[in-house]
Amino acid sequence: MLLSICPQHSKRFLRALTKEKLLEAKHSGPRLCIDLSMSHHMSKKELSRLAGQIRRLYGSNKKADRPFWICLTGFTRDSPIYEECLRMNDGFSSYLLDITEDDCFSLFPLETLVYLTPDSEHALEDVDLNKVYILGGLVDESIQKKVTFQKAREYCVKTARLPIQEYMVRNYNGKNYHSEILAINQVFDILSTYLETHNWPEALKKGVSSGKGYILRNSVE
């Protein structure tokens, strides 16, 4: 005989379970930093888009079987991006994550950091629970070529790119548009799916939309 759980209790239980999984990630990994130190270069529209991406990323992380612990770095409480996150994201002030004004490079040993940037020569092969992965808090319109790559080089931190070139091919389209630059929530969905499946094609399919001009190699036949 199955016992029915009243909705209030089940919601409370699920919230507690989510909190437990997130706090476990804080101690044992995986960990993800979103580098927001470059947000002062952005327009109001770009800040709104970035705040929306943070909301979607956090929502996906809460649902994950194996969530990341997220740290928003270079994030000052009197900044326009902070105000935009509060305005756009219900409950932002109670998000289960770390918020700090410090730079990601001063928070963790440099040898544990991996800055994910499409300009890296090195394809990401695996997600290592002992590493801290960094995503640059930039949106498409504000991309300055190699800005995140140069920042990682400046601190002698390892870089990696998603293995799009290894598992996907250009799909010729009317606009002849091809881009490996993804929103931070799309990159997160790829990392999260890979952590769950250990399957790069499946993970890339989750985060690389057809509008980017790439399809999986086995889709070409």
Side-chain angles (χ1 to χ4, degrees):
M1 177 180 161
L2 291 172
L3 293 173
S4 63
I5 302 173
C6 88
Q8 289 84 356
H9 287 171
S10 75
K11 281 183 183 177
R12 194 178 302 143
F13 173 75
L14 289 172
R15 278 199 300 269
L17 186 63
T18 298
K19 183 176 181 179
E20 186 181 318
K21 288 194 293 185
L22 286 168
L23 292 175
E24 184 182 335
K26 184 174 185 176
H27 297 293
S28 58
R31 286 170 293 178
L32 182 76
C33 282
I34 302 173
D35 178 7
L36 296 169
S37 63
M38 298 163 281
S39 64
H40 57 282
H41 293 303
M42 296 185 204
S43 68
K44 179 81 185 313
K45 179 184 173 186
E46 290 166 346
L47 290 172
S48 294
R49 287 187 60 195
L50 181 57
Q53 291 173 17
I54 291 170
R55 181 184 68 238
R56 288 190 286 275
L57 186 156
Y58 184 75
S60 293
N61 195 45
K62 279 175 63 180
K63 294 174 187 170
D65 288 333
R66 186 73 188 271
F68 283 71
W69 181 253
I70 295 166
C71 187
L72 305 181
T73 63
F75 196 45
T76 56
R77 292 181 188 269
D78 59 352
S79 64
I81 181 62
Y82 186 80
E83 292 299 321
E84 202 60 19
C85 283
L86 281 178
R87 186 182 73 81
M88 289 190 61
N89 304 343
D90 286 340
F92 177 74
S93 56
S94 59
Y95 276 13
L96 273 171
L97 43 68
D98 282 331
I99 290 176
T100 176
E101 297 182 7
D102 294 332
D103 202 293
C104 49
F105 303 108
S106 63
L107 288 173
F108 304 98
L110 294 179
E111 64 273 13
T112 67
L113 299 177
V114 180
Y115 211 122
L116 297 177
T117 167
D119 298 303
S120 178
E121 297 173 2
H122 309 290
L124 187 65
E125 295 179 5
D126 199 5
V127 175
D128 185 341
L129 299 184
N130 297 313
K131 299 290 186 186
V132 180
Y133 295 94
I134 307 169
L135 300 181
L138 292 166
V139 293
D140 291 18
E141 287 98 341
S142 66
I143 290 295
Q144 299 171 44
K145 191 64 176 164
K146 293 186 179 292
V147 64
T148 51
F149 180 71
Q150 294 293 0
K151 192 171 182 186
R153 285 281 297 273
E154 187 183 325
Y155 286 89
C156 300
V157 162
K158 287 180 183 174
T159 62
R161 58 175 171 77
L162 294 173
I164 293 173
Q165 298 167 22
E166 284 69 21
Y167 293 96
M168 305 187 90
V169 293
R170 290 187 173 197
N171 183 30
Y172 291 98
N173 51 47
K175 296 179 181 176
N176 198 27
Y177 173 77
H178 306 91
S179 175
E180 295 181 39
I181 296 170
L182 306 176
I184 58 170
N185 57 295
Q186 293 171 322
V187 176
F188 174 79
D189 286 344
I190 291 169
L191 294 176
S192 181
T193 304
Y194 177 79
L195 193 63
E196 187 180 325
T197 64
H198 292 280
N199 182 314
W200 279 120
E202 190 173 331
L204 291 164
K205 189 176 179 182
K206 177 91 174 179
V208 183
S209 66
S210 58
K212 293 293 177 181
Y214 283 90
I215 54 173
L216 291 172
R217 288 184 183 278
N218 60 8
S219 306
V220 181
E221 286 99 37

